Amino acid sequence: MKRTSRRIAVSTGLMTLPIAAGAMMGVATASADEWHYGPVYRAEQSGEGGQYFCNKALSLEKASQSYIVVPCTNVAGTDVWYRIVVNPYNWGWKG
């Protein structure tokens, strides 16, 4: 029982990080650069094939047991597609 409670607490904690980060960056999150803090990262694609590459990467991330926090989202003004993902197997620290 304690083990399950700990797992739920850790999972909840990991999920609050990207939500808090997204809230701090505000609505203009898509104009920010890509970032990677621990298991949470934000990736973006732009240009002609932006949506295609974003959805393809999203499919690969789902297959690798990542948790999608923000699915592929388009910012019309800049034509940038971005997503926020939690990957417990990838602990990079890039700002």
Side-chain angles (χ1 to χ4, degrees):
M1 186 72 168
K2 285 186 178 182
R3 178 178 263 167
T4 303
S5 297
R6 274 192 215 133
R7 286 183 185 168
I8 291 170
V10 168
S11 296
T12 303
L14 284 175
M15 295 305 284
T16 57
L17 179 63
I19 293 168
M24 286 188 305
M25 290 181 189
V27 178
T29 303
S31 65
D33 292 331
E34 297 180 352
W35 47 262
H36 192 161
Y37 298 107
V40 183
Y41 63 92
R42 180 185 179 282
E44 64 181 40
Q45 279 83 24
S46 60
E48 246 177 73
Q51 180 181 10
Y52 171 77
F53 289 119
C54 186
N55 288 326
K56 195 64 139 173
L58 201 57
S59 298
L60 290 172
E61 287 160 348
K62 285 181 183 177
S64 69
Q65 299 176 339
S66 297
Y67 302 99
I68 311 306
V69 178
V70 177
C72 285
T73 305
N74 184 280
V75 179
T78 58
D79 196 28
V80 172
W81 289 85
Y82 74 97
R83 66 196 183 284
I84 298 177
V85 180
V86 177
N87 184 344
Y89 308 107
N90 185 1
W91 283 78
W93 294 95
K94 177 181 110 179

